[in-house]
Amino acid sequence: MRVIIKDNAVDISAWVAGYIAYSIKRAKPTAKKPFVLGLPTGSTPLGVYKELIKLYQNKKVSFEHVVTFNMDEYIGLSPEDKNSYHYFMHENFFNYININPKNIHILDGQTKDYAKECEDYENAIKAYGGIDLMLGGIGTDGHIAFNEPFSSLTSRTRIKTLAPSTIKDNSRFFDNDISKVPTQALTIGIGTIMDAKEVIIMATGENKAEAIHQAIEGNINHLWPVTVLQMHRYGIIACDKAAAKKLAPPTIDYFQNIEKMGG
Ligand code: GLP
């Protein structure tokens, strides 16, 4: 596992955006062999999206041959609903870059057939040869996408009931009213995330410190789904100092030193 710690959210967002842009360019994507990017929602990636938009505007990266798969979507919300992840992605990212709308994939939370929607999503990812780079955030309880604590570590795309802690955390987007937060979501699985060729899990702020401690220093356990990243060949945790607050000093020294030495 690679661990990148920067002073603050702005710096780590710039690092992650730079890494994504570099990965896209390195792949030299074409219409026939596009770059496949997995994307999250939440407040954490907002700085990354802003930075990627800047990089696009400055002609440092193009999304012409990039295909995206979002991690999850609430059940029951229409794409026009301001709290849907469809709306979030267009408002904060897709509307400002040169991505072909046909290349955007987001689970349909209004589908009548959840099982088929999830199976089709997995098949669409496979048809592109898998996800090249998956970016994810992390919940305070260690969830990734909407894979809540005790999710199977080999789970695939499916419907998931949200944990009370997630509903409480996410109620800030729903007028702080817990009763307005959907109780279920469609989400890619932990197995789906682990199949990506490379995975970056990003965290900022002190409220993520316990999850980051578990992710890096804890044992692999379905209680903290993010710990599965320890089994990924190319897993990166990217966080700010506040989120790294609960890491033991020798752990921080180890990862900072290895970065200084060139990785
Ligand atoms: C939601 C999303 C996750 C995200 C998490 C943390 O539950 N489904 O993908 O990582 O929120 O969000 P934030 O970045 O706002 O803390």
Side-chain angles (χ1 to χ4, degrees):
M1 175 187 281
R2 199 174 163 193
V3 176
I4 308 291
I5 304 168
K6 298 283 179 195
D7 283 351
N8 51 51
V10 173
D11 290 355
I12 197 64
S13 300
W15 187 90
V16 171
Y19 192 84
I20 293 172
Y22 155 80
S23 303
I24 293 171
K25 279 190 287 186
R26 183 183 53 183
K28 297 193 175 71
T30 60
K32 272 195 177 156
K33 184 78 190 84
F35 187 84
V36 186
L37 185 59
L39 292 173
T41 54
S43 8
T44 313
L46 281 172
V48 175
Y49 293 143
K50 275 202 188 114
E51 199 60 39
L52 282 173
I53 292 166
K54 264 196 232 157
L55 290 171
Y56 161 68
Q57 286 167 344
N58 295 332
K59 302 198 176 4
K60 303 267 188 233
V61 67
S62 167
F63 294 90
E64 191 187 356
H65 299 308
V66 173
V67 166
T68 62
F69 283 90
N70 261 83
M71 291 184 130
D72 42 17
E73 178 59 289
Y74 287 115
I75 291 285
L77 299 192
S78 77
E80 292 77 37
D81 189 309
K82 289 203 160 105
N83 281 312
S84 75
Y85 287 167
H86 277 78
Y87 187 90
F88 175 100
M89 288 308 298
H90 286 86
E91 272 305 295
N92 292 300
F93 192 37
F94 296 144
N95 289 348
Y96 307 98
I97 56 169
N98 64 335
I99 192 162
N100 183 338
K102 282 188 196 143
N103 287 347
I104 297 170
H105 300 84
I106 308 179
L107 284 154
D108 176 6
Q110 289 194 306
T111 178
K112 293 210 166 61
D113 190 340
Y114 301 130
K116 184 175 182 306
E117 173 69 12
C118 294
E119 202 185 320
D120 288 351
Y121 208 67
E122 288 276 340
N123 287 335
I125 294 172
K126 263 191 220 130
Y128 280 108
I131 292 173
D132 291 306
L133 177 60
M134 178 97 237
L135 174 65
I138 182 173
T140 51
D141 60 2
H143 74 249
I144 44 178
F146 268 130
N147 295 286
E148 298 285 18
F150 305 118
S151 289
S152 156
L153 297 182
T154 57
S155 51
R156 311 304 307 186
T157 305
R158 68 211 183 290
I159 186 168
K160 194 76 190 134
T161 297
L162 306 187
S165 58
T166 300
I167 292 178
K168 189 169 169 285
D169 282 353
N170 291 1
S171 66
R172 67 189 193 282
F173 299 111
F174 295 83
D175 309 323
N176 288 310
D177 182 349
I178 286 178
S179 70
K180 287 187 185 163
V181 185
T183 55
Q184 290 183 309
L186 295 182
T187 179
I188 60 168
I190 297 178
T192 323
I193 295 171
M194 291 295 282
D195 280 352
K197 288 165 200 134
E198 210 172 354
V199 180
I200 303 178
I201 297 293
M202 188 185 170
T204 56
E206 215 175 317
N207 62 333
K208 302 291 169 68
E210 180 62 22
I212 288 298
H213 158 63
Q214 294 291 340
I216 298 168
E217 297 176 319
N219 298 324
I220 298 170
N221 190 314
H222 58 175
L223 177 56
W224 291 92
V226 67
T227 57
V228 76
L229 196 68
Q230 294 172 23
M231 295 292 289
H232 199 286
R233 285 183 71 192
Y234 300 105
I236 301 178
I237 298 267
C239 65
D240 65 359
K241 273 196 177 151
K245 215 177 167 186
K246 288 196 177 174
L247 294 178
T251 304
I252 296 181
D253 287 350
Y254 172 80
F255 286 112
Q256 289 194 328
N257 188 47
I258 218 159
E259 287 303 318
K260 261 189 223 143
M261 309 271 287

